[in-house]
Amino acid sequence: MKERPANYPKLTDYKPSQFMLPTSHYDKAKADRAVKFIEMLCHTKGEWEGERFFLLPWQARIIRDVFGIVKEDGMRQFRTVYIEIPKKQGKSELAAAITLYLLFADNEPAAEVFSAAADRQQAGIVYDVAKRMVEMTPALLKRSKIMAATKRIVNYSNAGYYQVVSADVANKHGYSISGLCFDEIHNQPNRKLWDVLTKGSGDARRQALHVAITTTGTDRNSICYELHCKAQDILAGRKIDPTFYPVVYSLPDNADWSDEKNWYKVNPSLGYTVPIERMREAFLQAQENPAEENVFRQLRLCQWVGSSVAWIPEHVYSKGNIPINANSLIGRDCYCGLDLSSTSDITAFCMVFPPKYDGDNYIVIPHFWLPRETLELRVRRDRVPYDVWERQKLFHVTEGNVVDYNFVRKTINELNTKYHIVEIGVDRWNATQLIIDLEGDGFTMVPIGMGFKDMSPGMKELYKLLLEGKMIHGGNPVLQWMSQNVVAETDAADNIKPSKKKSTEKIDGIVAWIMGLDRAIRHEVHGSVYDERGLLSI
């Protein structure tokens, strides 16, 4: 293939990155040089093998920004590039092309370019692509020596080399790195290898470039998630780092993952390197199995899902995203659950309104409390937008560094003037003064155990009602976030309960919801549904 295919898109609307400093400028000649070098290379796999590597618009934009935006002294502005993108978008080819440019065409004397990953085999993926590209490009092959046994490519023209390194941190000090490609950094067990290869190792180079290119992971305490959050903060304007270039093709958590239009937003090579039919097949599998859903969302849509399978799949939960008219519930009977947790953590109170007539739905209205003094710390530490939710009046915030239970008590009493609170389910082991005070206020407090016996009936009923579209929650974002955190534990008798140990984040609202629903179901007009048909097995 000598020319770009007619149906193959080309970057036509390029504008330099919004993160270019006022003192920097776009050097078109340098950008053109990088693009021309890469498009001289060939694809190495599948139906495209042997064809020229014409850059797609998203790839060309990255190359032009990274290699074309320079400071006053002519050196590159960006030193770290973070690219987060779903699988099968051509990331290995792009990574290999960048490493070869840094080795052969970056005008760096004695270039030292490295590939790294969680293990040598993973790091070798980019090397194998780069090796084939060199072998298929006579102009590069004649000036190179390929050392397959040690996974090294030597460039005789500048005394440089490209080398794969393993995850053994101890012997990685002492390099003078001019270029680094870190593949699938989400697989790193810790940050040590990234730090060793990026902190100080390129100080002797005026424009060392570190590129991390990855899909998402599941560990929110990893170096990858740290880089992900930094990239998101820079893109949103919350942080400024002129040396860091962020590229994040990740579907927001609140976006509809079943909508094909959203697939195209985060898969910029869809229709070129990935047929839409493959995506549709993977989606159908994900719909049938929550475990496959996590895999689809992580690898195909670059969402940071939990390593454990969420109890409520998002497509099931979203059936209750129907607006709630709170005024229409005034005076209605409701059954509530109160999860106090600890005084320094989230307190949750869920009001469950049972149907008024056959065919009517259940409705839930949640309330949450957090202490003011720890709010900012939680936002930074947990990376959860509690501050945004407070401004949206989705949280009650009490003064001090612990939840003020007097304020909780006051709010519950105020709610009881609008709605008729029949019963409040509470953790039987959480006999705090607040529960005693609420009993003194005239509320019926019903102790509920947190084990399989007491939690399983309400939990199974909640899932059933959500699945049938008979539980309306109005799309409350706090409750939705907590619903995606819940992991269920199962005993030998197929009873289930929420696992606070295995759940990825806070689930207090779901626990309160289950307790409130349990009390509502047991007081249905026609008797307990459990008495009529027994327990469900899901």
Side-chain angles (χ1 to χ4, degrees):
M1 183 190 300
K2 302 298 184 182
E3 302 296 333
R4 181 186 298 269
N7 66 337
Y8 206 75
K10 186 176 182 180
L11 181 63
T12 57
D13 60 345
Y14 173 74
K15 293 180 181 179
S17 168
Q18 59 180 309
F19 304 114
M20 183 171 70
L21 289 169
T23 54
S24 296
H25 67 278
Y26 174 62
D27 188 325
K28 185 175 183 299
K30 289 188 175 182
D32 286 345
R33 175 181 170 84
V35 169
K36 288 178 181 178
F37 175 90
I38 292 173
E39 294 194 338
M40 173 191 71
L41 303 172
C42 294
H43 287 281
T44 64
K45 297 177 182 178
E47 64 178 294
W48 296 91
E49 182 177 6
E51 305 289 356
R52 284 180 59 186
F53 182 19
F54 289 109
L55 294 170
L56 287 165
W58 72 271
Q59 296 168 324
R61 191 178 303 280
I62 292 172
I63 298 302
R64 289 195 173 277
D65 280 347
V66 171
F67 292 100
I69 295 177
V70 297
K71 299 177 293 184
E72 292 174 302
D73 60 2
M75 298 293 107
R76 286 190 289 267
Q77 175 183 314
F78 300 111
R79 293 176 64 90
T80 300
V81 180
Y82 178 76
I83 304 173
E84 183 177 290
I85 193 164
K87 65 181 294 188
K88 302 302 181 184
Q89 300 302 300
K91 85 179 163 53
S92 295
E93 283 76 9
L94 181 62
I98 290 174
T99 58
L100 292 179
Y101 181 82
L102 293 172
L103 176 62
F104 289 103
D106 201 31
N107 295 325
E108 183 70 29
E112 293 184 26
V113 184
F114 294 88
S115 282
D119 55 55
R120 189 174 177 82
Q121 182 178 2
Q122 179 67 49
I125 292 175
V126 173
Y127 166 81
D128 289 340
V129 175
K131 170 176 170 290
R132 288 284 292 131
M133 284 179 168
V134 171
E135 291 172 339
M136 297 165 74
T137 310
L140 298 182
L141 185 60
K142 70 181 182 180
R143 69 175 77 171
S144 309
K145 180 178 182 180
I146 297 175
M147 306 167 70
T150 56
K151 295 189 181 297
R152 174 182 284 227
I153 300 174
V154 177
N155 175 14
Y156 288 127
S157 64
N158 70 357
Y161 64 89
Y162 164 43
Q163 175 73 58
V164 173
V165 293
S166 66
D168 178 15
V169 176
N171 61 0
K172 301 301 180 296
H173 297 276
Y175 291 134
S176 179
I177 295 176
S178 59
L180 171 67
C181 175
F182 212 120
D183 191 28
E184 300 294 12
I185 195 171
H186 74 88
N187 283 327
Q188 283 298 298
N190 53 56
R191 62 178 301 136
K192 290 181 180 178
L193 184 58
W194 172 258
D195 286 345
V196 165
L197 296 176
T198 61
K199 308 297 184 187
S201 60
D203 285 357
R205 308 282 185 170
R206 295 190 66 189
Q207 54 177 3
L209 185 66
H210 306 132
V211 180
I213 187 163
T214 185
T215 53
T216 52
T218 59
D219 184 1
R220 294 178 184 248
N221 295 310
S222 63
I223 177 60
C224 186
Y225 193 68
E226 180 182 321
L227 292 170
H228 163 85
C229 291
K230 180 174 182 177
Q232 292 284 48
D233 286 343
I234 292 173
L235 289 167
R238 294 186 293 267
K239 286 184 179 178
I240 297 175
D241 183 346
T243 69
F244 191 100
Y245 183 77
V247 180
V248 178
Y249 284 98
S250 176
L251 190 66
D253 290 342
N254 60 355
D256 183 1
W257 67 279
S258 65
D259 188 341
E260 285 194 13
K261 292 193 293 294
N262 286 332
W263 301 352
Y264 282 94
K265 291 177 183 178
V266 297
N267 287 268
S269 299
L270 188 57
Y272 301 97
T273 62
V274 182
I276 185 63
E277 290 77 18
R278 300 290 85 77
M279 287 283 288
R280 289 169 179 161
E281 291 168 4
F283 172 69
L284 290 176
Q285 293 175 351
Q287 278 190 311
E288 297 171 358
N289 186 343
E292 291 290 340
E293 177 186 326
N294 269 13
V295 172
F296 181 87
R297 291 172 59 189
Q298 178 193 345
L299 299 182
R300 302 280 188 171
L301 302 178
C302 249
Q303 290 186 320
W304 282 82
V305 296
S307 57
S308 301
V309 178
W311 170 55
I312 306 175
E314 189 172 345
H315 72 279
V316 172
Y317 184 84
S318 65
K319 293 184 179 183
N321 287 349
I322 298 173
I324 296 171
N325 181 358
N327 290 332
S328 68
L329 301 174
I330 292 176
R332 287 261 301 266
D333 287 354
C334 64
Y335 298 83
C336 306
L338 177 62
D339 186 8
L340 297 175
S341 295
S342 65
T343 54
S344 60
D345 215 331
I346 296 174
T347 288
F349 182 72
C350 279
M351 309 171 66
V352 178
F353 296 83
K356 291 180 66 177
Y357 49 84
D358 289 342
D360 194 13
N361 297 318
Y362 283 83
I363 297 174
V364 60
I365 296 181
H367 292 265
F368 305 96
W369 291 264
L370 270 177
R372 169 79 60 193
E373 289 185 11
T374 61
L375 187 65
E376 185 177 342
L377 173 63
R378 288 172 182 276
V379 173
R380 295 198 309 269
R381 181 193 65 196
D382 303 340
R383 301 192 182 277
V384 176
Y386 295 116
D387 53 342
V388 175
W389 288 338
E390 182 205 358
R391 290 195 294 272
Q392 294 174 340
K393 297 183 178 180
L394 299 171
F395 258 96
H396 302 282
V397 177
T398 70
E399 299 304 322
N401 59 4
V402 297
V403 171
D404 184 348
Y405 282 167
N406 288 324
F407 188 84
V408 175
R409 176 188 178 188
K410 179 175 180 289
T411 303
I412 292 175
N413 273 279
E414 289 174 351
L415 290 170
N416 194 43
T417 64
K418 294 177 62 178
Y419 315 103
H420 180 218
I421 297 177
V422 181
E423 287 183 354
I424 301 176
V426 294
D427 182 354
R428 68 166 51 148
W429 300 112
N430 211 338
T432 65
Q433 184 63 43
L434 174 59
I435 294 175
I436 297 172
D437 291 340
L438 288 171
E439 286 181 328
D441 294 335
F443 291 102
T444 301
M445 311 298 291
V446 180
I448 298 177
M450 295 293 105
F452 290 107
K453 175 178 173 293
D454 285 353
M455 294 301 291
S456 188
M459 192 170 178
K460 289 184 175 180
E461 195 66 30
L462 175 55
Y463 189 94
K464 173 181 178 291
L465 291 170
L466 286 168
L467 191 62
E468 294 174 344
K470 294 180 179 179
M471 174 63 78
I472 308 303
H473 48 69
N476 180 284
V478 183
L479 207 57
Q480 180 181 13
W481 169 65
M482 290 182 175
S483 76
Q484 297 304 297
N485 297 334
V486 178
V487 174
E489 283 190 72
T490 306
D491 68 6
D494 286 332
N495 294 309
I496 59 174
K497 70 174 183 177
S499 173
K500 288 196 174 184
K501 182 179 180 181
K502 294 182 180 179
S503 297
T504 56
E505 290 277 4
K506 303 300 181 186
I507 63 172
D508 313 82
I510 306 302
V511 172
W513 191 358
I514 292 169
M515 290 193 289
L517 178 60
D518 180 273
R519 301 318 307 160
I521 292 293
R522 294 184 187 276
H523 286 80
E524 279 190 309
V525 175
H526 300 295
S528 171
V529 68
Y530 308 138
D531 295 334
E532 292 178 3
R533 57 154 167 74
L535 301 182
L536 290 171
S537 294
I538 296 176

